Amino acid sequence: MSAIAAIMNKSAVAVAADSALTHVCNNGKEKVWNTTRKVFQLIPGQPVGVSTCGNADFMEIPMDLIIGLYGKQNEGKSFGTVREYAQDFMDWLRSCTFLKSVEQQESALLYHLKALLNEVIQMMKNRMADKEEEATDELRNSTFLECLHELIDIHEETTRCVDFENYTLKQFRKNLKQEFDKIQSNELAKEGLTDKKVRPLFERFVYTFLLTENFLGGTEIHFFGYGEEELFPVDIKAEIHSFIDSRLLYYISKNADTGKDGSVLIPQGQADVIRTFAWGISPAMIKTVRKLMMSMLSAYHHAVLDCLNESEVHCSQLEELDRNEYCQKAIDRLDKKIDDNASDNFLDVVESYGPESLAQTAEDLVSVAELASRTSGDTESVQGPIDVAVITKVDGFRWVKRK
């Protein structure tokens, strides 16, 4: 896990990151290294940086090596916007043959297929446990198919990643037949999922889900800084996952954060701890409060109806009241209060900071996340030296601290 904090206002953007990398060994134990780099200058001499979170490797190649090669091969390039820098990086990845060997792609796809299959199997087992029927192969197959149909319905309209917009199910099945053959013989058969409808429906589910923006979550990349045409700093989020059939599974967010309208905090990794400091309340507590509001309003509504029934008073209008509507109004007011609190107590102050103060605040936020990790009782997933970089329109990319 990582802790990365980016803060920007009209004058600059500052980014700080810890150095921890958590590796799960073959015996299941976790090993943490605290020498990993997560912040980089994208191209030497240009006022654009990148931060990475999630998988430290892409197609079995370290991300720091990939970003370093991109910078070296594109030295001298510049673009009008940060978005163009992000798109050029993705276009360069597409051209890298060393990232998409047959073996690399097969290994990546089989990993995805097994992970998705295990999710559906767990869903099937949970549903079977609720049924008062004998756990026969027939029930397993029918329940598995039922789960697949539901998942396909949920994800069928999800936005497809750009390289797969015109990629048909027929192409998917034909070009990746070998990998699905292995899943059928090694995984589906082992679970007793031998109905002739299982494999084609599982293929359709994988096609519907795997190639969409919903599935992404491999390596999160933030591109931050200034294009030649941009007066204020910009941060754009992107994600890359793998190559499938030599097509890059990635997306670049259509939205962007900018310092034009004031200060912005963009946490990555241990985001909850950083947001708790800025908001004054933890995201986990917000979820708990929302659930309590829903349950208490529902209980109050039923209690009123029970009182009326005992008094032999019937009120159809009260029975028809939409509790969810009132709960949503209360939640919206809570969210606004939290946003106002963050603005009053953190963002309004940060808005007036200069580059050095932004850099110090970004470093302090990562230090808070490190303290939370060290005192949690779990693996210390945030640790090590903190790298800090700041970018301004005039001075460009500059290291404040670097291991």
Side-chain angles (χ1 to χ4, degrees):
M1 185 61 74
S2 301
I4 304 173
I7 311 176
M8 66 171 70
N9 59 19
K10 290 183 178 181
S11 66
V13 54
V15 179
D18 76 316
S19 302
L21 171 65
T22 304
H23 175 73
V24 180
C25 304
N26 291 332
N27 60 6
K29 294 184 178 180
E30 291 185 345
K31 177 74 175 178
V32 180
W33 286 271
N34 61 1
T35 56
T36 304
R37 289 184 61 200
K38 301 173 184 178
V39 178
F40 312 86
Q41 184 174 21
L42 185 60
I43 296 176
Q46 298 303 327
V48 178
V50 292
S51 58
T52 64
C53 180
N55 292 344
D57 293 349
F58 175 70
M59 301 302 289
E60 303 174 13
I61 306 295
M63 279 301 303
D64 57 351
L65 175 58
I66 292 172
I67 294 169
L69 287 172
Y70 171 81
K72 186 175 182 180
Q73 293 180 18
N74 291 277
E75 192 165 356
K77 264 190 178 182
S78 64
F79 297 95
T81 65
V82 173
R83 185 173 297 280
E84 290 175 276
Y85 279 98
Q87 187 60 61
D88 188 71
F89 179 78
M90 298 303 175
D91 293 341
W92 178 83
L93 282 182
R94 288 191 181 105
S95 70
C96 294
T97 55
F98 69 88
L99 291 172
K100 45 186 176 181
S101 69
V102 173
E103 294 77 16
Q104 285 171 309
Q105 292 192 71
E106 181 180 352
S107 175
L109 181 59
L110 285 173
Y111 174 84
H112 300 330
L113 293 180
K114 289 177 182 178
L116 288 173
L117 179 60
N118 288 337
E119 290 289 331
V120 184
I121 287 174
Q122 189 58 54
M123 181 178 175
M124 173 197 73
K125 288 179 177 178
N126 292 339
R127 187 159 299 184
M128 286 176 59
D130 296 333
K131 296 181 179 180
E132 297 179 359
E133 300 179 46
E134 183 182 350
T136 62
D137 284 346
E138 182 180 357
L139 179 61
R140 292 176 68 82
N141 281 269
S142 64
T143 307
F144 187 77
L145 291 168
E146 177 185 297
C147 293
L148 287 176
H149 277 297
E150 289 182 17
L151 292 169
I152 289 170
D153 288 342
I154 291 171
H155 298 289
E156 199 143 37
E157 301 302 320
T158 305
T159 303
R160 195 166 295 282
C161 290
V162 63
D163 279 12
F164 296 90
E165 286 177 347
N166 301 314
Y167 192 64
T168 66
L169 177 58
K170 184 177 180 180
Q171 287 176 285
F172 183 71
R173 283 173 166 157
K174 178 183 177 182
N175 297 343
L176 305 174
K177 180 179 182 300
Q178 181 176 328
E179 287 81 357
F180 278 105
D181 284 344
K182 290 183 178 180
I183 289 294
Q184 183 173 18
S185 59
N186 297 335
E187 307 296 333
L188 293 173
K190 183 176 68 177
E191 294 290 338
L193 300 169
T194 55
D195 188 299
K196 63 180 182 180
K197 298 177 184 177
V198 164
R199 172 166 171 172
L201 196 64
F202 180 65
E203 289 173 343
R204 185 180 162 198
F205 159 65
V206 174
Y207 170 81
T208 301
F209 184 51
L210 179 64
L211 309 182
T212 67
E213 293 180 1
N214 267 12
F215 179 73
L216 288 167
T219 301
E220 181 181 319
I221 307 175
H222 281 251
F223 298 82
F224 53 88
Y226 302 80
E228 290 184 346
E229 301 168 5
E230 292 168 327
L231 181 61
F232 302 108
V234 173
D235 181 289
I236 291 177
K237 176 185 174 181
E239 290 186 22
I240 57 174
H241 207 286
S242 61
F243 278 100
I244 294 178
D245 198 13
S246 296
R247 297 167 184 252
L248 180 60
L249 192 59
Y250 83 97
Y251 96 104
I252 300 173
S253 175
K254 295 179 176 61
N255 301 316
D257 290 301
T258 175
K260 179 180 179 181
D261 299 320
S263 58
V264 183
L265 170 64
I266 307 160
Q268 292 174 255
Q270 294 278 23
D272 282 4
V273 176
I274 294 172
R275 287 197 181 102
T276 298
F277 180 86
W279 290 353
I281 182 172
S282 73
M285 182 57 69
I286 294 171
K287 291 179 182 178
T288 301
V289 170
R290 285 171 176 162
K291 288 180 180 178
L292 283 172
M293 289 169 65
M294 291 287 287
S295 62
M296 292 304 294
L297 186 54
S298 179
Y300 179 77
H301 183 259
H302 285 300
V304 170
L305 289 175
D306 289 342
C307 288
L308 291 174
N309 289 334
E310 288 177 9
S311 303
E312 298 183 353
V313 175
H314 180 68
C315 183
S316 59
Q317 287 180 313
L318 184 60
E319 292 175 355
E320 293 169 3
L321 278 178
D322 185 355
R323 297 189 300 275
N324 291 331
E325 179 185 345
Y326 287 91
C327 280
Q328 190 57 53
K329 287 180 180 178
I331 289 169
D332 290 344
R333 291 183 66 179
L334 172 66
D335 289 341
K336 186 178 186 306
K337 187 65 177 176
I338 292 169
D339 288 340
D340 290 344
N341 186 63
S343 179
D344 292 340
N345 295 338
F346 184 83
L347 295 179
D348 279 354
V349 176
V350 171
E351 187 173 351
S352 62
Y353 278 6
E356 299 303 324
S357 295
L358 285 176
Q360 184 61 59
T361 304
E363 182 181 359
D364 290 342
L365 289 173
V366 174
S367 297
V368 169
E370 182 180 8
L371 176 63
S373 175
R374 191 166 63 246
T375 57
S376 67
D378 298 324
T379 301
E380 292 183 30
S381 56
V382 178
Q383 57 174 277
I386 298 175
D387 289 331
V388 186
V390 67
I391 307 177
T392 66
K393 182 69 175 178
V394 176
D395 297 328
F397 187 103
R398 177 170 59 88
W399 289 106
V400 177
K401 284 188 177 181
R402 189 183 185 191
K403 58 178 170 288

